[in-house]
Amino acid sequence: MNFDETFLNKLSKAKKIVFFTGAGISAESGIPTFRGKDGIWNKLKPEELANFNAFMRNPKMVWEWYNHRKKIIHDSKPNAGHFAIADMQDLFDEVTVVTQNIDNLHRRAGSKNIFELHGNIERNYCVRCKTFYNGELDFSDGVPKCNCGGLIRPDVVWFGEYLPEDQFEGGENSAVNSDIFFVVGTSAVVYPAAGLVHSAKRAGSYIVEVNIEETEISVMCDKSFYGEAGKVLPEIVKALKNKIIK
Ligand code: BJW
Ligand code: ZN
């Protein structure tokens, strides 16, 4: 892949970079995306699965969906895209990952500074008393319940729910203080997460998109690379290392 000098210069002068990621970065690890050609929501309705009322109406069905995805995630590994982002930590003063994914793959790849906007599939909590249950849950008597009698749910953010305040604030601060803001593998249609792209842009950050196709926010990007994240991101690391060595 060839990158123009303006882009490489911009990158080599940057100190603080942010990677805002979505389901697309984990697609090459075998984890299905939500929207698009092979997206989960071509087959399943988000409103029947990814909201609190659906869970209270039919917790068994929602848990079956999450346990199915948990298994896919456990069987998957970080891919070249996740590793390239972790490698960037050696090349910049500050690298922050702000992810909408719940799959832990950035952490497993070695990224250190991560904000998780939509929760984490490894954690669970009681809907009534908010006690956390982080180990394996027991489904032998049906949907697991807390000692208080409340249902236990996955610690993920469903439609109509607020994002964890500390994670969103951390993401927003990183966005507005970034020199370069990468938008990787997200359709950027879900808010308030997608609003971070606008915040970064307004604050003067240089916006770089990596996606297999155009998205809602392509028009506001300073640079767009259309290709798989697992191919484009390692190429950027390589080009940058070459430039630094020269
Ligand atoms: C590749 C690739 C490869 C593929 N390489 N690329 C109007 C304005 C503002 C807000 C709203 C509004 N109308 C409604 C709302 C609210 C709603 C919302 O945004 N809805 C829109 C969809 C219309 N938002 C909310 O409800 C949020 N909360 C909120 O607003 O709180 C305030 C409030 C409180 C109380 C009452 C009312 C308001 C919460 C949103 C929670 C989203 N949750 C989910 C599920 C998380 C748990 C789980 O995983 O099960 O989060 S939904 C789902 O979408 C998931 C994702 O994180 C999120 C974003 O999806 P993502 O990551 O972008 O994936 P895809 O599939 O969409 O895209 C993949 C991309 O990858 C594509 O572009 C591909 O091309 C690309 N790709 N392979 C590179 N190899
Ligand atoms: Zn409880």
Side-chain angles (χ1 to χ4, degrees):
M1 243 177 128
N2 282 325
F3 300 101
D4 62 73
E5 274 306 303
T6 327
F7 171 66
L8 289 179
N9 278 336
K10 193 94 194 159
L11 213 54
S12 58
K13 287 199 190 98
K15 300 222 175 310
K16 296 182 180 182
I17 64 170
V18 170
F19 289 91
F20 172 56
T21 64
I25 192 158
S26 297
E28 290 158 78
S29 293
I31 302 174
T33 60
F34 294 93
R35 301 165 190 84
K37 192 166 58 67
D38 300 317
I40 303 174
W41 287 339
N42 286 334
K43 296 164 214 126
L44 301 164
K45 288 204 176 78
E47 59 273 21
E48 281 173 17
L49 291 163
N51 76 69
F52 183 72
N53 291 339
F55 177 74
M56 293 311 279
R57 256 196 323 269
N58 197 341
K60 185 168 173 286
M61 180 181 73
V62 175
W63 261 118
E64 273 167 10
W65 186 54
Y66 276 94
N67 280 335
H68 166 71
R69 288 173 60 210
K70 224 172 174 166
K71 164 120 184 48
I72 296 175
I73 289 169
H74 276 163
D75 292 346
S76 70
K77 291 194 188 76
N79 65 55
H82 297 103
F83 286 119
I85 292 176
D87 286 346
M88 302 264 189
Q89 294 173 135
D90 299 334
L91 305 174
F92 296 92
D93 287 359
E94 199 177 294
V95 176
T96 307
V97 174
V98 183
T99 189
Q100 300 167 84
N101 300 344
I102 60 170
D103 60 23
N104 265 313
L105 291 186
H106 284 296
R107 193 165 290 114
R108 283 173 60 193
S111 283
K112 298 274 183 285
N113 193 17
I114 306 171
F115 293 105
E116 294 176 319
L117 301 181
H118 292 161
N120 188 305
I121 201 160
E122 298 293 336
R123 296 188 306 254
N124 314 284
Y125 69 90
C126 165
V127 297
R128 195 181 286 168
C129 71
K130 316 292 179 217
T131 298
F132 272 87
Y133 289 83
N134 294 340
E136 278 303 305
L137 295 172
D138 181 4
F139 286 85
S140 53
D141 288 332
V143 171
K145 283 198 176 139
C146 175
N147 298 333
C148 82
L151 291 171
I152 297 175
R153 61 165 280 180
D155 184 17
V156 297
V157 181
W158 287 326
F159 285 112
E161 295 185 323
Y162 289 103
L163 276 55
E165 214 173 291
D166 57 335
Q167 301 298 298
F168 187 70
E169 265 180 36
E172 175 86 13
N173 283 337
S174 314
V176 299
N177 289 309
S178 63
D179 300 316
I180 317 259
F181 189 87
F182 281 90
V183 186
V184 185
T186 175
S187 55
V189 294
V190 174
Y191 283 80
L196 295 183
V197 189
H198 302 260
S199 302
K201 179 79 181 173
R202 268 197 306 274
S205 188
Y206 185 79
I207 315 289
V208 183
E209 179 171 50
V210 180
N211 201 303
I212 50 170
E213 59 187 30
E214 276 190 31
T215 67
E216 301 272 317
I217 52 95
S218 299
V219 287
M220 59 189 282
C221 292
D222 296 289
K223 198 93 209 159
S224 292
F225 297 109
Y226 296 115
E228 291 174 325
K231 297 213 170 68
V232 176
L233 293 173
E235 289 288 331
I236 294 178
V237 172
K238 200 167 96 190
L240 206 53
K241 281 185 175 164
N242 278 340
K243 186 162 175 71
I244 293 166
I245 290 163
K246 266 186 202 162

